[in-house]
Amino acid sequence: MTQDHDPARSPEAIESARKIFAGPITFLKSAPSLQFLPGADVPEVAFAGRSNVGKSSLINALTGRKTLARTSVTPGRTQELNFFDVGDPLTFRLVDMPGYGFAKAPKDMVKKWRFLVNDFLRGRQVLKRALVLIDARHGIKDVDREILEMLDKAAVSYRMVLTKADKIKATELAEVTERTIAEARKHPAAHPDIIATSSEKGMGIPELRAAVIEAIG
């Protein structure tokens, strides 16, 4: 996989990131609309993904906490921006964005989601990077391309992260990784390297932590 040149993957970067994520991380607040956003006082890294992509599980794995982000039995329940403070003193924030592409969501909910996410992406100066989660079993779908285009237009730097990579064979993972890299090359705001992860097995989690720290600069 074409990822080895990524400086965030050095043993030093991975160990430094591990220490940061082993420190204090707390849920700050949920923001159903922009007026409820916390102050734009520290860098932020946001997580975006389809409703059943395993976003909450990945955030929990990343932070080493089983219940930091609520995993819902019904995908698509999160319709707010959830903020998590990292570090004491506060160093940066993680933002769990509401899942998209949930087929059973009412049209007005979808519209509300689009306005909330679009306004957040366009207006949040401290947002350093978005991590767009893609289910490794399915690869990029049209609904994912919509969020990629939204990020491109908002000029927000983003990186695609494959989830549930343990659920497919190594050959299939290599193929979906190459397809995802090819898609990333089509988008001006996309980071060229892809990280494959598994929340269950811990695969790619150390590298993802390092990538988050690298993104906040």
Side-chain angles (χ1 to χ4, degrees):
M1 300 187 191
T2 64
Q3 308 163 331
D4 299 333
H5 61 281
D6 187 348
R9 289 168 185 269
S10 72
E12 296 81 12
I14 284 173
E15 176 57 15
S16 174
R18 185 194 66 76
K19 286 179 179 171
I20 291 167
F21 277 94
I25 302 176
T26 54
F27 171 72
L28 174 63
K29 68 185 301 188
S30 294
S33 61
L34 296 190
Q35 70 208 65
F36 296 102
L37 294 182
D41 45 4
V42 291
E44 293 172 349
V45 174
F47 294 77
R50 291 204 305 276
S51 299
N52 55 354
V53 77
K55 189 151 49 71
S56 297
S57 298
L58 187 70
I59 292 172
N60 288 337
L62 195 69
T63 59
R65 289 150 175 88
K66 289 183 178 171
T67 56
L68 186 70
R70 284 171 310 194
T71 53
S72 174
V73 179
T74 310
R77 287 287 286 278
T78 309
Q79 291 301 322
E80 300 174 333
L81 296 161
N82 292 311
F83 290 82
F84 303 91
D85 285 350
V86 182
D88 185 15
L90 177 61
T91 310
F92 65 98
R93 287 193 179 104
L94 302 176
V95 187
D96 183 7
M97 290 166 58
Y100 58 83
F102 188 52
K104 293 175 185 163
K107 282 204 165 60
D108 59 338
M109 187 186 277
V110 175
K111 193 174 179 184
K112 184 185 170 194
W113 176 91
R114 185 171 280 278
F115 278 123
L116 175 63
V117 169
N118 209 19
D119 289 350
F120 173 72
L121 293 176
R122 286 180 176 276
R124 198 68 171 168
Q125 296 293 329
V126 292
L127 181 59
K128 297 299 183 184
R129 179 154 299 161
L131 299 172
V132 182
L133 311 188
I134 307 290
D135 191 322
R137 298 170 302 177
H138 307 304
I140 294 176
K141 294 184 174 253
D142 287 343
V143 70
D144 297 312
R145 290 188 179 91
E146 285 178 30
I147 191 85
L148 302 184
E149 286 168 16
M150 199 184 271
L151 287 158
D152 287 337
K153 285 176 185 169
V156 173
S157 167
Y158 62 92
R159 183 175 195 146
M160 284 183 267
V161 176
L162 296 173
T163 63
K164 307 182 184 182
D166 60 310
K167 307 290 187 193
I168 57 175
K169 295 175 185 167
T171 50
E172 292 170 3
L173 180 58
E175 285 171 16
V176 76
T177 300
E178 287 305 320
R179 285 202 306 273
T180 310
I181 289 169
E183 181 72 33
R185 291 196 183 113
K186 300 176 190 173
H187 296 271
H191 191 288
D193 290 316
I194 308 301
I195 299 176
T197 67
S198 162
S199 301
E200 281 185 27
K201 309 284 192 204
M203 169 188 177
I205 299 299
E207 292 81 3
L208 187 58
R209 287 181 186 133
V212 168
I213 301 306
E214 180 222 8
I216 64 172

